[in-house]
């Protein structure tokens, strides 16, 4: 499974792009930096978008993507998320105030975007993928996605604090080949991390202990200003295969 990191930082600054991941060219997970990271023709090739939650660093590229692809496709792009996420986008982002409602442009019959609510805990098919959304623990309602293709499953975790359901679910996924997961703050900001529903290297290690085996782990969503401190602490996390995701890089799972 091709997994291209368009952006994976926990903040936006020169050289640091917001989370957005392109899987096999057609499926996008979160939209943070998609509009600035991909050529417009590649943006128009995305058929499905999975949103982990409504926060702006994960949804902020959607208005620009919609604007860029207007009139370039014969079918709408399907935007998938749990109902609270889609409600948040509909009410607060593409709400005809901050930006136009692209589910009615150019017309309600032939829109640029359509919203599709996803179930939690129940696998569903999306193009060549089987997706399972599992609730995590964040400041707003948020899910992680298990993405399976050709007998290989990737666990993509958006923002989360300490949580249990994803690890419970992972125990029943023998073909799990990788985990992409956030670590936003250094250990000295543990209290802020806990309060805001994020991880530090210390709490990441405790989370990974909940899994019954060693699976390659790819960390992202580091705050740009705190990056060096977080990286130093991640080196002390006792895991054989712990990596930090690199922006602009293509991974194969
Ligand atoms: Zn968030
Ligand atoms: Zn975030």
């Amino acid at each position: 499974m091709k997994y291209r990191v368009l952006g994976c930082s926990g903040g936006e600054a020169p050289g640091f792009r917001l989370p957005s991941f392109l899987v096999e060219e057609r499926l996008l997970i979160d939209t943070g930096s998609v509009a600035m990271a991909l050529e417009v023709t590649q943006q128009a090739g995305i058929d499905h978008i999975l949103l982990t939650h409504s926060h702006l660093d994960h949804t902020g590229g959607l208005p620009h993507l919609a604007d860029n692809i207007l009139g370039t496709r014969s079918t709408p792009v399907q935007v998938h998320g749990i109902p609270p996420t889609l409600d948040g986008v509909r009410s607060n982002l593409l709400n005809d105030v901050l930006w136009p409602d692209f589910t009615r442009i150019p017309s309600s019959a032939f829109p640029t975007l359509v919203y599709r609510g996803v179930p939690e805990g129940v696998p569903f098919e999306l193009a060549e993928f089987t997706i399972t959304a599992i609730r995590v623990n964040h400041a707003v309602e948020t899910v992680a996605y298990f993405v399976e293709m050709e007998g290989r499953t990737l666990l993509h975790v958006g923002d989360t604090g300490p949580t249990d359901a994803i690890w419970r679910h992972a125990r029943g996924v023998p073909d799990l080949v990788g985990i992409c997961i956030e670590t936003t703050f250094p250990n000295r900001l543990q209290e802020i991390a806990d309060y805001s529903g994020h991880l530090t290297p210390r709490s990441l290690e405790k989370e990974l202990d909940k899994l019954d085996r060693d699976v390659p782990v790819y960390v992202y969503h580091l705050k740009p200003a705190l990056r060096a401190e977080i990286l130093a602490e991640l080196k002390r996390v006792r895991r054989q295969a712990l990596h930090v995701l690199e922006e602009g890089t293509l991974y194969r799972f």
Side-chain angles (χ1 to χ4, degrees), residues 208-238:
L208 298 178
D209 284 342
K210 297 175 185 173
L211 190 61
D212 53 353
R213 74 216 109 111
D214 244 338
V215 174
V217 173
Y218 297 81
V219 174
Y220 75 102
H221 205 273
L222 285 65
K223 290 282 183 204
L226 305 167
R227 185 177 170 87
E229 190 178 357
I230 300 169
L231 287 175
E233 292 175 351
L234 283 171
K235 287 208 175 88
R236 298 198 289 273
V237 172
R238 288 168 285 108

Side-chain angles (χ1 to χ4, degrees), residues 40-57:
V40 172
T41 50
Q42 294 172 302
Q43 293 177 40
I46 295 167
D47 293 324
H48 297 280
I49 297 172
L50 282 173
L51 295 176
T52 58
H53 66 304
S54 58
H55 276 161
L56 199 58
D57 55 330

Side-chain angles (χ1 to χ4, degrees), residues 22-154:
L22 187 64
V23 186
E24 291 288 328
E25 312 298 334
R26 295 174 60 196
L27 171 69
L28 188 73
I29 304 179
D30 285 340
T31 66
S33 55
V34 61
M36 64 172 69
L38 275 188
E39 296 296 335
V40 172
T41 50
Q42 294 172 302
Q43 293 177 40
I46 295 167
D47 293 324
H48 297 280
I49 297 172
L50 282 173
L51 295 176
T52 58
H53 66 304
S54 58
H55 276 161
L56 199 58
D57 55 330
H58 299 254
T59 58
L62 185 58
H64 306 298
L65 173 84
D67 204 26
N68 284 337
I69 67 172
L70 174 63
T72 66
R73 292 172 52 91
S74 55
T75 56
V77 177
Q78 299 188 26
V79 182
H80 307 264
I82 54 173
T85 301
L86 298 181
D87 287 346
V89 169
R90 193 185 284 117
S91 309
N92 300 299
L93 191 59
L94 298 172
N95 61 356
D96 277 335
V97 179
L98 276 201
W99 208 245
D101 176 2
F102 276 89
T103 64
R104 296 193 289 118
I105 297 174
S107 69
S108 297
F110 299 100
T112 305
L113 306 177
V114 291
Y115 296 128
R116 300 267 189 250
V118 305
E120 291 182 44
V122 182
F124 59 95
E125 305 293 323
L126 218 59
E128 62 264 56
F129 308 99
T130 302
I131 312 287
T132 309
I134 301 288
R135 185 69 68 112
V136 291
N137 175 26
H138 189 43
V140 295
E141 290 170 278
T142 303
V143 289
Y145 291 107
F146 287 81
V147 180
E148 187 269 337
M149 190 187 94
E150 295 173 350
R152 298 169 72 80
T153 300
L154 174 71

